[in-house]
Amino acid sequence: MTHTAAGIRHDWTRKQIRALFEQPFMDLIYQAHTVHRANFDVNQVQMSTLLSIKTGACPEDCKYCPQSGHYNTGLEKEKLLAVDKVIAQARIARDNGAARFCMGAAWKHPSDKDFPYVLEMVREVRSLGMETCMTLGALSDEQADALAEAGLDYYNHNLDTSPEYYGEIITTRSYQERLDTLGRVREAGMKVCSGGIIGMGETAADRIGLLQQLANMPQHPDSVPINNLVKVKGTPLDNVDDLDPFEFIRTVAVARIMMPASYVRLSAGRESMNEQVQAMCFFAGANSIFYGEKLLTTPLPEESADLALLARLGLRPERRHQTSSDPEQGSSVTAREDSRFYAAM
Ligand code: SAM
Ligand code: DTB
Ligand code: SF4
């Protein structure tokens, strides 16, 4: 095994990852928590709010997704939102305590017509003093460079599952195309947010394969969302069997051990998770959540319930990282955000 000083590795074998997963549960979460504690303040959680800036009618056939035009999920479609509407939502998110604003579009890739508006959204959200994230599908080199130039902090692009299971879930794009876009995002100098979905009927070997792909990239994703499938009526995965919550927690723990310095996000699926499972995920190394009314199209827990849960666990929202063009350099959680948080305690 090759370890760097910080314990960052990119040479994980599937056998080694399986050995992590198959430890007794207590040994695994203790190991993950120890790694977490060595790399982060374990009582801090990064909070991002999502907004769907273009909804539904997506040409891709991702079997989990309520926004695919291939399935009838009854979702109301919406074309690209106007920039001022997006900014108004970002302000609300900021005032409610989110440090990062993530904008998602149901596209295979951004079109030339829409792209200038997307760049404007990045610039304006940034000028509110928030970190920015976008997930828009595949990017060309030029688009990645333009997003970086506009000041986009993170680009989210998930691998979703193992290379072997991928073709069972999506047929309209390839694993390699996903990796290519992630390479362009890195090359352009943005931070990478990439993870997957657990509970899609995949095997333990597929969960191992996903984490191997993520951790063996030349650089670990800065943020790793672990989504628990949100089953949406009308999608082909609506009736898939529930995953044992302990297997979800194990996946979070193994992600934390393999990518020690990355944020691991307890992502979609929190709404159907009880508070005790969420607390176990935080103990196992999750240190980021989506917070707000909705993910993209499906509900999140009530904001007040989330704030109350964090307060009961003594967890604090992480302060916003400094970005060079911020008007509020160095501050992060504003007085108003702080008061809202502590009022919930
Ligand atoms: N269209 C772009 C793409 O696929 O890259 C961006 C938006 S897409 C909705 C963002 C991510 O949401 C997907 O990669 C997938 O991992 C996640 N996602 C979508 N539907 C989900 C569901 N029902 N449950 C959990 N995660 C889901
Ligand atoms: C991620 O990994 N999960 C988020 C975000 N990145 C874009 C999206 C979850 C979507 C869940 C289904 C929905 O709300 O439409
Ligand atoms: Fe489209 Fe993204 Fe949904 Fe796939 S996950 S159908 S690409 S919106």
Side-chain angles (χ1 to χ4, degrees):
M1 284 186 206
T2 51
H3 284 265
T4 64
I8 304 285
R9 290 180 47 196
H10 303 274
D11 60 351
W12 291 93
T13 66
R14 291 201 179 196
K15 198 166 159 223
Q16 291 166 342
I17 305 167
R18 180 175 294 279
L20 289 176
F21 265 103
E22 290 180 352
Q23 295 180 80
F25 185 77
M26 300 305 160
D27 292 339
L28 171 60
I29 60 170
Y30 178 73
Q31 185 185 350
H33 184 76
T34 306
V35 170
H36 189 32
R37 197 164 272 276
N39 288 279
F40 288 95
D41 176 341
V42 298
N43 298 313
Q44 273 196 138
V45 177
Q46 194 284 327
M47 310 222 311
S48 300
T49 291
L50 270 169
L51 176 69
S52 181
I53 57 170
K54 186 269 169 180
T55 307
C58 183
E60 307 277 30
D61 68 353
C62 313
K63 285 202 172 90
Y64 48 76
C65 187
Q67 305 203 64
S68 168
H70 295 255
Y71 319 120
N72 187 1
T73 59
L75 183 71
E76 210 172 301
K77 304 173 195 112
E78 203 161 15
K79 56 183 190 344
L80 184 64
L81 294 181
V83 177
D84 59 341
K85 284 202 175 152
V86 174
I87 305 316
Q89 292 301 310
R91 268 182 210 283
I92 294 171
R94 185 189 65 177
D95 292 349
N96 283 343
R100 187 180 308 158
F101 196 61
C102 306
M103 295 157 268
W107 286 329
K108 185 178 180 68
H109 52 72
S111 69
D112 290 346
K113 174 171 83 62
D114 289 326
F115 202 60
Y117 298 102
V118 164
L119 295 178
E120 189 54 24
M121 289 173 197
V122 175
R123 287 189 282 263
E124 295 216 15
V125 173
R126 218 164 177 262
S127 73
L128 297 178
M130 298 184 89
E131 286 186 318
T132 51
C133 176
M134 284 197 159
T135 179
L136 313 170
L139 296 179
S140 66
D141 286 332
E142 294 72 26
Q143 288 172 329
D145 288 343
L147 286 167
E149 172 78 14
L152 187 67
D153 296 296
Y154 286 81
Y155 195 76
N156 167 250
H157 201 63
N158 290 338
L159 293 178
D160 284 340
T161 189
S162 66
E164 295 77 21
Y165 195 54
Y166 194 80
E168 300 288 318
I169 300 294
I170 303 153
T171 68
T172 51
R173 63 180 187 220
S174 70
Y175 214 77
Q176 190 55 49
E177 288 174 80
R178 297 299 268 186
L179 292 170
D180 291 346
T181 290
L182 289 170
R184 292 186 183 114
V185 170
R186 262 296 173 226
E187 190 63 24
M190 288 177 285
K191 290 190 180 147
V192 167
C193 171
S194 187
I197 310 178
I198 307 301
M200 298 194 292
E202 77 284 348
T203 61
D206 294 315
R207 291 188 281 278
I208 290 169
L210 167 67
L211 293 181
Q212 184 188 36
Q213 287 289 325
L214 293 167
N216 286 356
M217 284 181 196
Q219 210 178 324
H220 291 168
D222 303 273
S223 168
V224 181
I226 307 290
N227 294 278
N228 199 11
L229 175 70
V230 179
K231 294 182 203 174
V232 180
K233 210 163 175 306
T235 61
L237 296 184
D238 179 25
N239 289 315
V240 79
D241 286 342
D242 278 340
L243 183 79
D244 178 354
F246 291 122
E247 187 60 18
F248 185 85
I249 300 166
R250 279 180 186 270
T251 308
V252 167
V254 175
R256 164 55 62 224
I257 294 166
M258 293 175 68
M259 293 170 275
S262 303
Y263 282 81
V264 174
R265 180 169 300 138
L266 173 52
S267 195
R270 277 198 312 113
E271 229 254 325
S272 56
M273 242 173 244
N274 68 30
E275 293 175 329
Q276 292 76 13
V277 168
Q278 293 184 58
M280 287 290 253
C281 289
F282 293 130
F283 185 79
N287 58 352
S288 169
I289 58 170
F290 285 121
Y291 160 82
E293 244 176 69
K294 280 198 290 188
L295 287 156
L296 289 172
T297 67
T298 63
L300 275 166
E302 287 284 331
E303 285 147 291
S304 57
D306 274 344
L307 292 177
L309 175 62
L310 296 191
R312 283 160 70 202
L313 298 175
L315 292 171
R316 302 179 305 275
E318 187 184 276
R319 289 169 178 259
R320 178 173 50 78
H321 287 125
Q322 262 178 253
T323 45
S324 52
S325 68
D326 281 354
E328 299 166 33
Q329 286 258 358
S331 82
S332 40
V333 176
T334 63
R336 185 160 165 209
E337 287 159 359
D338 268 341
S339 64
R340 183 181 155 93
F341 174 64
Y342 290 107
M345 292 188 84

